Amino acid sequence: MGGTEEAPNGSMAPIGREIMGPTNPMVTPLLTDLYQYTMAYAYWKTGKHLDRAVFDLYFRKNPFGGEYTVFAGLEECIHFVANFKLTDDEISFLRSAMPTCEEGFFEYLKGVTCSDVEVYAIPEGSVVFPKVPLIRVEGPVAVVQLLETPFVNLVNYASLVTTNAARHRYVSGQNKVLLEFGLRRAQGPDGGISASKYCYIGGFDATSNVLAGKLFGIPLRGTHSHAFVSSYMSADEIPDKTLKSRDGSRNCDDFFSLAQSWLKKVQSVSSLNGLFGETNQSELAAFTSYALAFPNNFLALVDTYDVMRSGLPNFCAVALALNSLGYKASGIRLDSGDLAYLSIEARKIFNLIEKEFRVAGFGKMVITASNDLNEETIDALNKQGHEVDAFGIGTYLVTCYSQAALGCVFKLVEIKDQPRIKLSEDVTKVSIPCKKRIFRLYGKEGYPLVDLMTGEDESMPKEGERILCRHPFIESKRAYVVAQRVEELLKCYWPGRSNEPREELPSLNKIRSRCIKQLEQMRQDHMRRLNPTPYKVSVSAKLYDFIHYLWLNEAPVGELQ
């Protein structure tokens, strides 16, 4: 562990599994499907294992009923490639799992690395679309085949949950704070860590996941639970109730009594129309205890007993007591009930108290809502009207409840410089053959118009040029596009033995910034939740002709008798 060594391609790479990224410490060459090794053996046995092959990783349909996807997981794929090396123990296990294979195959596996593999990809955090290769992998067919399952695994969930996070950000609006609270509901520890990382990329502001905060530098946020409130039965459980003022000039010997006195003042405010009666004093004791622990960041969960009759008045009392000592409370969290109504009523009360007691900024207390939120409930809240400033979202976010998987595939498109095609009666499953270049064409308003795939030997489309863009499979779907800007999407992230310049892997914050910027560039009709406009993915006229020529050559001709 630790240190560096020279990688086979001459770059400096950290030694040990840690280069694979802290979210996936168990991703080794054995984390794959058995058939990858059985195919590798068959390739090796026929001497075909060194044939140069090209594979595309892509997906066929956008998730969640939408018309866009955010690409994520690339960094971990590159980390996996950089550290791809079977240990003696792993080879011993394969020998026991494949007892009929010749010993020479296992000797071959001992020397397998990704030194002769090239990886090209769209930058992580980009908005992407069906059929467009997210990653292109070139190298000896047996080795590249061994990368299939790990790559699909690393990209599938990462892109799905990043897209889910981006959709939640879109429906919430840019001015709301989004908090990822999903660790306890995620699919295991690795799922929880990955979710925190990729939700942050997708536009969330913070996480409750402490380990994710440590590993990735994601801001942490959290309050307390209902158990904390209900654990207190009286103020007698707080042995030391003293609190020094923020400027240190005076001491409050009994902060609980100070909060009680403020509670009486709040209860006597005529403009509240007698709304506040007797409150739960054990809840007041719990709030007092938490405020003594965090006087500079007091945020209370107010729905343990009754939001309007107890939680809110008790919070206001403690917040006013803190204010009298120079501190400023942060706000409240609502975790049940009618969130729209309760947030509106809470805001009214905060504004009344600001006016009644002349406490500047009290009306702007942060109101956080949680309780099994998802896209639909947030959209409904927006339509009803609410005063929520921050949403804490967990289960529906990290489990991608409305769609189980993105459905990435890894298809052979060329071997020994010969294009290959996968045919199907379902046209959506027909692959687009050969090594390709991918271009994004932008219109005069700055929005992307179309993603265009061309053959590798075709020249780059020019700005201002009239370009014929064709649907890969439907002859009548075609259009001329005059691009104001052209962006080539595939970059080299692992050059192998080639002389291609290697793109640096960006930091998490740079990936996040790219995601946010890319989403802002999209036309709103592509982004909307209901009936979004499909984004156009096309091929050049030359590639279109070649696809159909190869299709006719490879498809068997039927015979009627």
Side-chain angles (χ1 to χ4, degrees):
M1 303 289 284
T4 61
E5 66 178 4
E6 187 171 344
N9 66 345
S11 63
M12 298 306 289
I15 300 171
R17 296 283 188 206
E18 69 269 27
I19 190 174
M20 293 179 190
T23 57
N24 289 284
M26 296 306 294
V27 178
T28 82
L30 292 190
L31 188 65
T32 191
D33 297 304
L34 179 62
Y35 82 161
Q36 309 293 8
Y37 280 101
T38 60
M39 284 189 290
Y41 177 64
Y43 287 139
W44 175 85
K45 194 166 175 60
T46 58
K48 190 178 175 63
H49 59 295
L50 298 180
D51 288 357
R52 195 87 184 161
V54 180
F55 285 78
D56 285 346
L57 187 154
Y58 60 94
F59 61 95
R60 297 185 175 116
K61 186 178 180 182
N62 287 305
F64 310 115
E67 288 297 342
Y68 69 92
T69 301
V70 180
F71 172 42
L74 172 63
E75 179 187 19
E76 299 197 43
C77 290
I78 300 305
H79 287 167
F80 179 70
V81 165
N83 244 8
F84 190 93
K85 177 71 175 172
L86 283 153
T87 66
D88 290 342
D89 181 62
E90 289 168 338
I91 289 174
S92 294
F93 176 77
L94 285 173
R95 190 181 283 111
S96 68
M98 303 168 69
T100 62
C101 295
E102 297 172 30
E103 182 58 29
F105 174 64
F106 302 108
E107 290 300 315
Y108 157 72
L109 288 179
K110 286 182 180 180
V112 168
T113 69
C114 289
S115 60
D116 198 22
V117 170
E118 299 170 39
V119 180
Y120 300 82
I122 296 174
E124 189 164 5
S126 298
V127 176
V128 292
F129 304 97
K131 287 289 187 182
V132 175
L134 310 180
I135 301 175
R136 186 179 80 212
V137 188
E138 305 175 27
V141 64
V143 178
V144 177
Q145 199 85 69
L146 293 175
L147 300 179
E148 175 181 1
T149 300
F151 268 41
V152 170
N153 177 275
L154 292 169
V155 170
N156 211 338
Y157 176 70
S159 299
L160 187 71
V161 76
T162 304
T163 305
N164 202 18
R167 291 178 63 86
H168 280 79
R169 166 54 71 193
Y170 181 79
V171 75
S172 301
Q174 296 302 316
N175 63 334
K176 301 300 181 186
V177 174
L178 293 185
L179 311 172
E180 179 267 310
F181 284 173
L183 177 58
R184 64 182 58 199
R185 304 286 171 79
Q187 285 94 337
D190 52 344
I193 294 293
S194 294
S196 298
K197 175 182 179 180
Y198 293 114
C199 286
Y200 184 65
I201 289 175
F204 272 60
D205 298 289
T207 180
S208 64
N209 187 336
V210 178
L211 182 55
K214 177 181 182 295
L215 293 174
F216 308 118
I218 301 171
L220 292 173
R221 291 284 288 275
T223 53
H224 58 78
S225 69
H226 296 107
F228 179 84
V229 176
S230 59
S231 73
Y232 283 85
M233 289 173 280
S234 76
D236 294 338
E237 296 177 87
I238 310 173
D240 183 5
K241 302 180 183 66
T242 60
L243 181 62
K244 186 176 287 188
S245 64
R246 194 168 187 271
D247 61 9
S249 63
R250 54 200 164 90
N251 274 348
C252 171
D253 294 329
D254 190 342
F255 184 71
F256 179 75
S257 295
L258 179 62
Q260 282 185 314
S261 68
W262 275 107
L263 179 60
K264 291 177 182 177
K265 293 177 185 178
V266 169
Q267 289 168 330
S268 65
V269 174
S270 58
S271 55
L272 292 175
N273 297 319
L275 177 65
F276 296 155
E278 288 299 315
T279 67
N280 187 304
Q281 291 297 290
S282 66
E283 182 182 56
L284 182 63
F287 288 178
T288 298
S289 171
Y290 202 74
L292 288 169
F294 299 100
N296 289 299
N297 190 28
F298 173 59
L299 194 150
L301 178 61
V302 295
D303 67 338
T304 302
Y305 300 114
D306 188 296
V307 173
M308 298 303 296
R309 293 186 176 88
S310 185
L312 269 176
N314 280 336
F315 166 79
C316 291
V318 174
L320 288 165
L322 285 171
N323 182 76
S324 69
L325 295 173
Y327 299 100
K328 185 177 180 181
S330 297
I332 62 170
R333 178 162 71 96
L334 300 167
D335 192 48
S336 61
D338 186 332
L339 298 178
Y341 168 77
L342 291 173
S343 67
I344 290 169
E345 291 303 305
R347 184 71 67 204
K348 288 178 184 176
I349 290 165
F350 293 156
N351 286 328
L352 285 169
I353 287 176
E354 176 175 346
K355 183 178 180 180
E356 183 72 25
F357 298 107
R358 298 178 182 177
V359 180
F362 203 96
K364 292 183 171 60
M365 286 286 180
V366 172
I367 300 174
T368 301
S370 47
N371 187 31
D372 280 341
L373 297 176
N374 57 33
E375 268 192 89
E376 287 71 27
T377 53
I378 293 171
D379 189 43
L381 285 169
N382 291 339
K383 290 172 180 175
Q384 293 173 61
H386 64 86
E387 286 291 333
V388 175
D389 302 296
F391 293 107
I393 310 172
T395 305
Y396 288 91
L397 174 68
V398 304
T399 63
C400 297
Y401 189 85
S402 59
Q403 179 154 338
L406 179 58
C408 289
V409 294
F410 193 84
K411 296 299 180 184
L412 177 71
V413 295
E414 187 174 293
I415 190 163
K416 294 198 294 185
D417 296 323
Q418 296 300 309
R420 308 307 297 150
I421 190 170
K422 189 268 181 192
L423 299 179
S424 172
E425 291 183 6
D426 180 355
V427 74
T428 63
K429 292 189 174 184
V430 175
S431 64
I432 297 177
C434 77
K435 192 188 298 187
K436 296 172 286 293
R437 299 175 73 183
I438 317 297
F439 301 97
R440 183 158 292 173
L441 311 184
Y442 292 82
K444 59 185 178 181
E445 295 179 346
Y447 298 121
L449 296 176
V450 61
D451 281 8
L452 177 68
M453 290 181 269
T454 73
E456 189 193 28
D457 59 347
E458 294 185 59
S459 58
M460 180 174 179
K462 294 181 176 65
E463 296 172 1
E465 181 180 61
R466 197 161 172 255
I467 304 160
L468 179 60
C469 299
R470 304 201 63 169
H471 187 285
F473 308 118
I474 302 176
E475 187 174 14
S476 62
K477 286 192 174 183
R478 54 188 179 170
Y480 283 104
V481 176
V482 179
Q484 302 303 307
R485 182 164 73 88
V486 179
E487 177 188 11
E488 185 158 11
L489 297 184
L490 289 177
K491 314 288 184 185
C492 179
Y493 285 91
W494 188 259
R497 300 189 193 280
S498 75
N499 294 318
E500 291 287 337
R502 179 180 176 180
E503 291 285 322
E504 292 297 319
L505 290 172
S507 67
L508 186 67
N509 281 320
K510 286 184 178 179
I511 296 171
R512 182 175 187 270
S513 296
R514 179 178 182 83
C515 173
I516 292 168
K517 184 178 179 181
Q518 287 258 307
L519 291 166
E520 288 172 349
Q521 287 179 339
M522 295 302 299
R523 263 190 4 226
Q524 291 305 298
D525 59 313
H526 296 310
M527 305 289 292
R528 65 192 179 208
R529 290 187 64 246
L530 295 177
N531 300 316
T533 303
Y535 181 84
K536 291 179 176 60
V537 173
S538 299
V539 297
S540 66
K542 184 176 179 181
L543 182 55
Y544 174 88
D545 289 341
F546 181 74
I547 292 169
H548 291 266
Y549 165 79
L550 190 62
W551 191 335
L552 290 175
N553 269 4
E554 296 292 339
V557 180
E559 181 175 330
L560 300 178
Q561 295 186 10

